Amino acid sequence: MTSNGVPGRDAAPNRSAGSTGSDLAPEHIARQLKTRWLGRDYRFYSSLDSTNSKLSALATQGFAEGAVLLADEQHRGRGRLGRTWIAATGESLTFSILLKPTCAPAEMAPLALAVAVGVAVGIGEVVDLPLVLKWPNDLLCDGKKLAGILIETSGDGKNLRHLIVGVGINVNQSAFPEELGGQASSLRLATGKNQSRPEILLAVLRGLEKWIDLWRGLGSAPIIDAWLKYAPWVGEEIEVKTSTGIECGVAVGLNPTGALILEDGLGHRREIHSGDVTLIGSV
Ligand code: BTN
């Protein structure tokens, strides 16, 4: 997505009662949050450049694993593959989560799928929509993007210091800029009515905690099984833009590390570890 933002100063975080007027302020979220570790430290900003950037800067200051930082408005949000992410005040959910996994960076790939499943399950608890995951972790409805996830790591190739999981959910937008080419949607557009951002946030945090815990406890197998239930396009022809060009083929599934398996017309299979998928069919 593209940015519409004018850079501005970050508003101070708010953890005190009743002073921001936002339904996402801590006093509204904290007492309804049913998670064990995720979001127990919840920071709210009325405006930020990017929640990922802010949390990354704060991560070294003793924040606990599971800290959540949310901005009501984000004017320089970052997306995958160098894109930007628009989030005007009051319309979306834009937040980042601090994780401190102990595994090697190479074992992290299925976490991206676990996060996608957690977001889909959470949203699906609140709205009844045919949600689809596009590899690795875009959430779509009727072929249009409802939510995106950007995971950023800190550390060297062998040791992870921390990981920032950024989630952007289009909730109550009634229209999107033309430059998005009709490829974005919101829960409001998809359901025909405004949705409660606190309700979605609370459900998504519960979903994320559950699926991140499952990934930690049981590894990639249950995550991949759950992820595939949201991928009706597996078995169909797709296109993937990778760093080396465009690959076409039938999506066969995912390998245990979460890589996408593509099969060409001659039956040759290859694994894609990073790229941008275009679904050619109707999902
Ligand atoms: C994508 O390209 O699909 C990923 C979009 C991720 C956007 C979210 S919004 C909250 C967090 N902060 C950011 O700057 N980006 C992520």
Side-chain angles (χ1 to χ4, degrees):
M1 291 198 172
T2 181
S3 169
N4 61 346
V6 179
R9 285 165 56 87
D10 296 345
N14 190 288
R15 303 178 81 183
S16 60
S19 52
T20 70
S22 171
D23 54 358
L24 296 172
E27 67 268 23
H28 299 301
I29 298 304
R31 66 181 138 87
Q32 297 180 72
L33 191 62
K34 296 284 188 294
T35 53
R36 280 182 304 107
W37 56 269
L38 183 58
R40 301 320 307 184
D41 182 352
Y42 174 81
R43 315 271 170 136
F44 171 89
Y45 286 75
S46 47
S47 177
L48 274 184
D49 56 354
S50 153
T51 58
N52 268 30
S53 303
K54 188 71 180 177
L55 186 54
S56 180
L58 294 174
T60 50
Q61 298 180 12
F63 274 41
E65 170 155 80
V68 170
L69 191 155
L70 179 142
D72 210 2
E73 184 254 349
Q74 189 182 243
H75 46 261
R76 265 202 207 150
R78 289 183 280 112
R80 285 181 66 237
L81 308 168
R83 296 179 185 135
T84 52
W85 184 271
I86 297 173
T89 307
E91 294 188 331
S92 338
L93 286 168
T94 50
F95 61 95
S96 301
I97 300 166
L98 179 64
L99 294 182
K100 298 182 176 175
T102 49
C103 63
E107 295 163 34
M108 296 300 311
L111 173 64
L113 306 179
V115 170
V117 171
V119 171
V121 166
I123 291 178
E125 275 178 16
V126 182
V127 295
D128 184 18
L129 288 173
L131 299 173
V132 166
L133 287 174
K134 179 166 83 91
W135 188 83
N137 49 23
D138 282 353
L139 185 70
L140 314 182
C141 180
D142 294 331
K144 296 184 179 185
K145 186 153 162 174
L146 285 177
I149 293 157
L150 175 67
I151 302 185
E152 296 178 306
T153 54
S154 148
D156 58 36
K158 286 198 188 119
N159 302 298
L160 266 181
R161 268 204 302 275
H162 64 251
L163 206 121
I164 307 285
V165 176
V167 180
I169 304 173
N170 297 331
V171 183
N172 284 328
Q173 290 95 331
S174 49
F176 287 90
E178 240 171 61
E179 66 224 65
L180 296 182
Q183 289 179 45
S185 188
S186 67
L187 296 176
R188 172 182 166 163
L189 288 168
T191 59
K193 59 178 191 201
N194 254 29
Q195 298 296 332
S196 154
R197 290 188 307 156
E199 197 183 347
I200 305 276
L201 175 67
L202 291 162
V204 166
L205 292 179
R206 278 197 309 272
L208 284 168
E209 181 175 89
K210 174 178 172 183
W211 287 92
I212 293 170
D213 278 346
L214 277 171
W215 166 74
R216 279 208 178 103
L218 300 173
S220 67
I223 306 302
I224 288 173
D225 284 352
W227 191 95
L228 286 170
K229 295 201 171 90
Y230 288 96
W233 49 271
V234 168
E236 294 179 7
E237 184 95 16
I238 63 167
E239 261 181 27
V240 192
K241 198 168 169 194
T242 69
S243 55
T244 53
I246 298 207
E247 309 255 4
C248 296
V250 172
V252 173
L254 304 180
N255 81 2
T257 70
L260 178 65
I261 306 170
L262 267 193
E263 184 173 291
D264 68 18
L266 299 171
H268 298 139
R269 291 185 175 189
R270 59 209 180 283
E271 291 175 354
I272 313 269
H273 296 272
S274 153
D276 196 25
V277 169
T278 302
L279 305 178
I280 297 167
S282 54
V283 282

